[in-house]
Amino acid sequence: MRRPEPPGLLSPDVAPVEVSAHGRAMASSVTIRIVPKADRAAVERALAHALTVFDDVEASCTRFVPTSPLMRANAAPDCWHKVPLPCFHALAEAYRAYLLTQGRFDPRVLGDLTRLGYDRSLPFGSGPVRTRVGAPLRRKPLPTWRPRFRRAQHAVLLGGRGVDLGGIGKGLAVRWASELLRRVGTDHLVEAGGDCYCAGRSPEGDPWRVGVEDPFGGNAPVAVLELSDRACATSSIRLRHWEVAGAQVHHLVDPRTGLPGGSGLRAVTVIDRDPAVAEVWSKTLFLEGLEAVGSFSNRRGLAALWIADDGTLGASRAMSRYVAWQRS
Amino acid sequence: MAATADLRAAALRSERWRRTLRRRITPWVAALATASATIGAVTWAGSVIPGASSAGKRGPTAQTPAAAAWLKSQSRVLQLQQRIDSDERQIAHLAGSPLPGLPAAPAVHATTGASGVAVP
């Protein structure tokens, strides 16, 4: 991880307007921007600590390293496993999300991803990706998930099937990084692979502005959101898609079928107070598909914005207060 | 007698031929009349085709082959212009420029999406 950038040629007595730090974890870039309220040394320590949060979450929750704590638990899902604290909390959060969405968010799609050939880190973004597996088949819905947790020992029993913590791990890392940064600056932005938390105000004094990426690859955003003390997360198939037996598939698997879901949609962005919750709802709404995403998000009062296969933009009622600009 | 019969037969054939000719050329004559009337209206009122380069000017004299050719070329110009406009809009969109009439997106501090790469 890169160390935080020094504030430049400023007197040590003068607080810089903004300090930033960059890194890479969980196959994503990580960016932190903070308007510091403490001395330079404290800010740099906090930034470095915040960046290591992402390393810790990746090390314990990755499914691409067979010996990671998560994968050891996945190898024997009906046994108790002691796991590091980040992994324990991530699994507990995943179960909470499973209950909150009534099973629509279900991390037990690891087997489906493996069957689709996504059993290792694939070279997305560097040309067409193909995996040598058979044609994907629909399966029956999964039985009810009943994991067990022993908080005092940080032990979990997954119950039946292995899990993929996917984006929820990233959302949690953004949350924990932001909590660390509050001590040295209440105005900051943490962004990791498209999941953001915007605390307070930008260095210009306005709400932070977050662009919604064009899922068709255009350079300009399709919308610009203004956020203050809010998180946003996007589920998109722009990058993680590949070919299996001549069919195009992507990584957002519907737990009800075991196949890629989200009929008619390219991307869904959700705003929430918490980054992990925003991530959960962005995936859940994506899997609802174009026909149901509007009614579902309005019924639940979710702030959501989606882009359909034909490029049209849609938004829920609760999203309107955050949209500063949109393409059409 | 034979001569009278021959004459009668010839006259009959001639009448049949005139009827046939009339039946065949009448639609042609009607079309030509319509076209002539249209060209005449265009050249009289100036160009009525929107976007035509010679708007306000009069084309060649009505009811001439040149008028028909001019009319055809103006229509083709219009089609090409519409296609160029459409292509330019598409290119501008792909290049990230705002569509005509739409204000540019404000600068952002971060981007949410598949990659999270910040757009400067």
Side-chain angles (χ1 to χ4, degrees), chain A residues 33 191 193-194 202 204 208-213 220 234 236 238 325 327, chain B residues 93 96 102-116 119:
Chain A
R33 301 172 68 164
E191 182 268 317
S202 69
E204 297 88 39
W208 296 93
R209 284 189 302 278
V210 177
V212 179
E213 179 191 73
T234 297
S236 167
R238 183 184 77 79
W325 177 91
R327 187 176 63 191
Chain B
H93 172 60
L102 189 70
V108 299
H109 300 100
T111 300
T112 182
S115 60
V119 175

Side-chain angles (χ1 to χ4, degrees), chain A:
Chain A
M1 279 281 193
R2 240 169 75 183
R3 288 176 57 80
E5 293 172 0
L9 297 175
L10 291 174
S11 161
D13 298 328
V14 177
V17 175
E18 181 186 348
V19 179
S20 62
H22 304 274
R24 190 154 183 87
M26 294 181 273
S28 303
S29 63
V30 179
T31 298
I32 300 177
R33 301 172 68 164
I34 184 168
V35 180
K37 297 281 194 297
D39 62 270
R40 198 160 97 185
V43 170
E44 287 191 4
R45 278 196 305 271
L47 283 170
H49 194 180
L51 288 173
T52 60
V53 166
F54 293 90
D55 289 332
D56 293 342
V57 171
E58 181 177 26
S60 62
C61 299
T62 180
R63 64 180 179 91
F64 296 125
V65 175
T67 54
S68 74
L70 175 68
M71 290 307 285
R72 284 205 301 269
N74 280 338
D78 291 318
C79 298
W80 283 98
H81 297 269
K82 286 190 74 170
V83 295
L85 205 55
C87 186
F88 181 87
H89 283 304
L91 289 166
E93 194 75 30
Y95 183 54
R96 200 172 296 126
Y98 172 82
L99 297 174
L100 176 69
T101 62
Q102 296 171 326
R104 288 177 175 85
F105 178 90
D106 190 333
R108 295 176 297 164
V109 294
L110 176 63
D112 303 311
L113 289 167
T114 304
R115 265 194 301 279
L116 290 170
Y118 193 11
D119 56 352
R120 62 198 182 284
S121 189
L122 295 174
F124 298 118
S126 58
V129 177
R130 294 183 183 87
T131 56
R132 292 185 181 181
V133 292
L137 295 174
R138 187 185 174 111
R139 57 152 173 78
K140 290 186 290 188
L142 299 170
T144 304
W145 188 29
R146 292 193 177 92
R148 293 167 64 186
F149 299 90
R150 285 178 184 162
R151 186 178 292 275
Q153 290 88 26
H154 301 152
V156 297
L157 187 150
L158 292 177
R161 283 174 174 253
V163 301
D164 167 48
L165 289 175
I168 199 169
K170 204 188 312 174
L172 285 170
V174 170
R175 177 208 289 177
W176 294 329
S178 174
E179 287 170 357
L180 279 172
L181 292 168
R182 274 199 205 119
R183 302 172 204 167
V184 294
T186 49
D187 299 310
H188 59 262
L189 180 150
V190 181
E191 182 268 317
D195 289 1
C196 308
Y197 184 74
C198 303
R201 302 212 150 225
S202 69
E204 297 88 39
D206 302 319
W208 296 93
R209 284 189 302 278
V210 177
V212 179
E213 179 191 73
D214 182 348
F216 294 92
N219 290 333
V222 298
V224 174
L225 312 174
E226 284 188 336
L227 304 176
S228 182
D229 298 326
R230 290 290 186 276
C232 70
T234 297
S235 286
S236 167
I237 58 173
R238 183 184 77 79
L239 200 62
R240 286 178 173 80
H241 60 88
W242 63 100
E243 191 180 304
V244 171
Q248 281 293 318
V249 298
H250 58 75
H251 69 299
L252 296 170
V253 171
D254 191 332
R256 295 168 288 195
T257 63
L259 297 173
S263 170
L265 289 173
R266 285 287 173 131
V268 175
T269 297
V270 170
I271 295 174
D272 193 273
R273 291 177 186 273
D274 181 84
V277 174
E279 169 66 33
V280 165
W281 282 121
S282 74
K283 183 175 180 184
T284 302
L285 287 178
F286 184 93
L287 295 176
E288 288 299 306
L290 180 61
E291 282 195 16
V293 63
S295 56
F296 190 99
S297 53
N298 282 325
R299 218 165 38 241
R300 300 252 180 163
L302 299 170
L305 182 145
W306 55 90
I307 299 109
D309 279 344
D310 63 0
T312 53
L313 243 64
S316 65
R317 286 189 290 270
M319 176 57 91
S320 58
R321 58 188 277 217
Y322 299 108
V323 178
W325 177 91
Q326 66 182 70
R327 187 176 63 191
S328 56

